[in-house]
Amino acid sequence: MSNNQASPLPSSPSGKPALMDRFLNGIERVGNKLPDPSMLFIYGLALIFVLSAVLSLFSYDLIHPVTKEALEVKNLITGDYLAHFLSTMVSTFMDFAPLGMVLVAMLGIGVAESSGFINTCIKKALRITPKRILTPVLVAIGILSHVAADAGYVLVIPIGGIIFYAAGRHPLAGIAAAFAGVSGGFSASFIPSSIDPLLAGFTQTAAQLYDPNYTVNPLGNFFFTAASSIVIILLGWYITEKIVEPRLADHTLDDDIEAAPDMSSTTAEENRAFKWAGLSMLAGIALLILACLPEGSSLRDNTGSLTSFSAPLMQSIVPLIFLLFLVPGIIYGKVAGTFNSSKDIIDSLGKTLGSMSGYMAMAFFIALFLKAFNDSHLGILLALTGAEGLQALNLSGQFTIVGIIILSALVNLLVGSASAKWALIGTIFVPMLMSVGISPELSQAAYRIGDSSSNIITPMLPYFPLVVVYCQRYMKGTGIGTVASMMMPYTLFFMVVWTLFLLGYWALGLPLGIQAGYVYPPM
């Protein structure tokens, strides 16, 4: 490793590690004593079955916000459910969306990496990016990747490790910075993404329980989330270089990983191959833009939108990533001589899938765990119990907003889907806060802070195990504890600073978004 790493964390006068370092070391030790992630989900699956049987014996004074029926915990240890669970096991695994997205995208990226195209791209990017701003640039790219739905998890995060390693810095710090931008900053974006209309739809439905005529603009949080991007980039920069990277100085990389490639120069063959591969990628992007321009484009949805969840363009993001890396990768390999035959290309595909075999096995148990957890209604029970407890405290508007942020972060540790959580707790909080004069858009902004901040430490995030796999490329002993302790500073700083930023933004009366205010009814 070179001397580009940040200075170590300060120690106390007695020579002991600082309080933050001891806290994170404790998380790492405890977390790494946990079983292998696959086994963790197997044990969790068994626990869900047992809890469902026990808790189904009790009645709860709660109403399901969607079905409007009394909430009941479903006993999974019955003949009928066990038969259903076994008969749908294959389809449950095959329908686990993150697995297909990861594998398809990684196939294209794997070809581009094996050919040397990605390596040359990084060389050229590093030449024009000053080393002192490499971290904030990586966090910003992670935030911008939200436009492409979940593509950042399979593209930006692993490349973050490659870039830092090539620059002589600890690769896990690059993975952490990228993960913080992609997932921790999920609700911070300079550009509207598909999550905006999705959450706005749930917010509007909840608001109409109180006011049937109330409408929520999909960009009702846009000004705030755009401003939040700057906050997240600056925080990610500080945390990575002052807290996370110094801690990783004691984490030795494996001896058998490939040496960091020379990033100081490119050969004539690499330059020529890059030119043709780059031109093919630009041509592909240009063709995509031309295909999107017509009002009747097949890539638009029925309303003419390109960015809605139902738009074919949004549904095709992962296949497009596959093609936009596959074709330039093949062209680069042919021109540079790294691919001499079609067998070399197929071998690179097989090598890529081989490196993902551990994640594929893990995904099987994750899919089964999530199905049982959702079918049991335990997640709904926890979310509604927490929401009612917060409501019973009868706090002021500002304290209630802070409470929503904290509750959203806690519920996120158990219910991974951003839309599912908001569909559950939003139906309680949005009408409740409207009754005390707080707008639905402000409630939604508070929810997004709590949800985003804890994304990077929740085991319920389907991509969390994938981040562990990325880290194991450099340190085979990486476990859940290593990643959790690495990401915990981001969660703590993001939650506190982002919450204070929202309260200050609110106090200054800055515009929250388009057709959105802070009070209800609107002024």
Side-chain angles (χ1 to χ4, degrees):
M1 303 295 287
S2 75
N3 295 323
N4 292 327
Q5 290 188 6
S7 58
L9 282 173
S11 297
S12 63
S14 64
K16 295 181 180 180
L19 179 61
M20 173 65 79
D21 212 23
R22 295 201 301 271
F23 171 65
L24 297 177
N25 289 341
I27 292 176
E28 182 170 2
R29 284 193 299 271
V30 173
N32 284 342
K33 288 181 180 179
L34 294 172
D36 179 85
S38 293
M39 291 304 302
L40 201 60
F41 282 101
I42 292 174
Y43 296 148
L45 181 62
L47 181 62
I48 291 300
F49 272 82
V50 173
L51 285 177
S52 72
V54 174
L55 295 179
S56 66
L57 300 175
F58 301 92
S59 59
Y60 305 93
D61 188 22
L62 296 169
I63 302 298
H64 194 294
V66 178
T67 64
K68 305 303 179 186
E69 297 176 353
L71 179 64
E72 295 181 353
V73 173
K74 182 176 181 179
N75 182 5
L76 304 186
I77 307 181
T78 64
D80 288 344
Y81 184 80
L82 291 174
H84 164 76
F85 189 76
L86 291 173
S87 64
T88 59
M89 185 174 289
V90 174
S91 60
T92 298
F93 180 46
M94 298 304 293
D95 292 340
F96 185 57
L99 177 63
M101 292 175 61
V102 168
L103 294 184
V104 171
M106 286 301 294
L107 284 174
I109 295 169
V111 170
E113 186 175 4
S114 296
S115 71
F117 177 54
I118 287 181
N119 189 38
T120 302
C121 287
I122 293 172
K123 286 183 181 182
K124 293 184 177 293
L126 287 176
R127 276 191 210 163
I128 63 174
T129 303
K131 289 187 177 180
R132 66 180 181 276
I133 63 168
L134 184 60
T135 301
V137 167
L138 181 57
V139 176
I141 291 172
I143 290 174
L144 290 173
S145 72
H146 303 156
V147 178
D150 293 340
Y153 290 101
V154 295
L155 178 60
V156 178
I157 296 175
I159 288 180
I162 295 171
I163 289 175
F164 267 49
Y165 186 45
R169 298 172 63 177
H170 203 295
L172 267 63
I175 291 173
F179 191 22
V182 171
S183 193
F186 185 65
S187 283
S189 182
F190 296 109
I191 303 173
S193 64
S194 54
I195 193 66
D196 293 304
L198 178 66
L199 291 182
F202 288 115
T203 304
Q204 178 171 298
T205 300
Q208 289 177 347
L209 295 174
Y210 189 85
D211 180 353
N213 297 318
Y214 197 90
T215 58
V216 176
N217 190 296
L219 299 181
N221 287 158
F222 176 62
F223 297 146
F224 173 71
T225 56
S228 297
S229 300
I230 300 173
V231 176
I232 295 302
I233 291 171
L234 293 176
L235 282 175
W237 187 2
Y238 175 82
I239 296 165
T240 301
E241 299 194 356
K242 298 301 182 181
I243 300 176
V244 173
E245 197 166 6
R247 279 196 71 249
L248 290 172
D250 296 331
H251 291 61
T252 306
L253 302 181
D254 294 338
D255 295 329
D256 58 349
I257 62 173
E258 295 180 7
D262 175 24
M263 290 291 146
S264 61
S265 61
T266 53
T267 65
E269 290 80 7
E270 287 176 333
N271 288 330
R272 190 163 63 92
F274 178 78
K275 181 183 74 173
W276 287 108
L279 287 174
S280 70
M281 179 175 277
L282 291 174
I285 294 172
L287 287 173
L288 178 61
I289 293 173
L290 290 174
C292 292
L293 288 178
E295 292 184 4
S297 170
S298 299
L299 296 174
R300 298 178 181 270
D301 66 8
N302 294 333
T303 66
S305 173
L306 287 169
T307 58
S308 69
F309 268 106
S310 60
L313 176 64
M314 291 293 103
Q315 299 290 329
S316 304
I317 287 293
V318 171
L320 287 171
I321 290 174
F322 167 72
L323 292 173
L324 286 173
F325 280 90
L326 177 72
V327 175
I330 292 174
I331 292 174
Y332 183 97
K334 289 291 186 181
V335 177
T338 50
F339 288 160
N340 296 313
S341 66
S342 58
K343 184 179 183 301
D344 294 331
I345 300 172
I346 300 302
D347 286 345
S348 70
L349 293 171
K351 180 181 177 182
T352 300
L353 287 179
S355 68
M356 299 300 296
S357 59
Y359 177 71
M360 286 188 278
M362 194 187 311
F364 174 70
F365 298 109
I366 295 174
L368 296 181
F369 172 83
L370 292 177
K371 174 179 172 55
F373 190 69
N374 291 332
D375 289 349
S376 67
H377 299 160
L378 289 176
I380 301 174
L381 174 64
L382 292 168
L384 295 184
T385 301
E388 286 210 338
L390 184 57
Q391 185 177 8
L393 294 176
N394 195 27
L395 302 173
S396 66
Q398 286 81 1
F399 280 106
T400 301
I401 288 295
V402 174
I404 291 175
I405 293 173
I406 296 172
L407 179 64
S408 300
L410 293 175
V411 174
N412 195 30
L413 300 178
L414 299 168
V415 183
S417 169
S419 57
K421 285 192 299 294
W422 191 229
L424 292 171
I425 63 179
T427 52
I428 295 174
F429 283 127
V430 170
M432 179 186 79
L433 293 182
M434 289 174 73
S435 68
V436 295
I438 294 178
S439 73
E441 292 84 358
L442 179 55
S443 301
Q444 177 181 278
Y447 165 74
R448 296 177 76 161
I449 292 174
D451 177 67
S452 294
S453 298
S454 59
N455 264 343
I456 45 183
I457 60 169
T458 173
M460 297 302 291
L461 179 72
Y463 296 104
F464 189 89
L466 183 62
V467 178
V468 177
V469 172
Y470 291 149
C471 293
Q472 288 173 344
R473 294 179 178 179
Y474 306 97
M475 292 172 51
K476 292 186 178 65
T478 299
I480 292 176
T482 304
V483 177
S485 67
M486 192 168 64
M487 303 312 299
M488 182 61 74
Y490 296 99
T491 291
L492 297 177
F493 275 79
F494 282 7
M495 274 199 68
V496 173
V497 177
W498 208 350
T499 298
L500 293 174
F501 180 69
L502 174 61
L503 295 177
Y505 198 93
W506 180 9
L508 292 173
L510 298 174
L512 193 61
I514 297 175
Q515 297 177 340
Y518 295 95
V519 299
Y520 176 85
M523 301 295 291

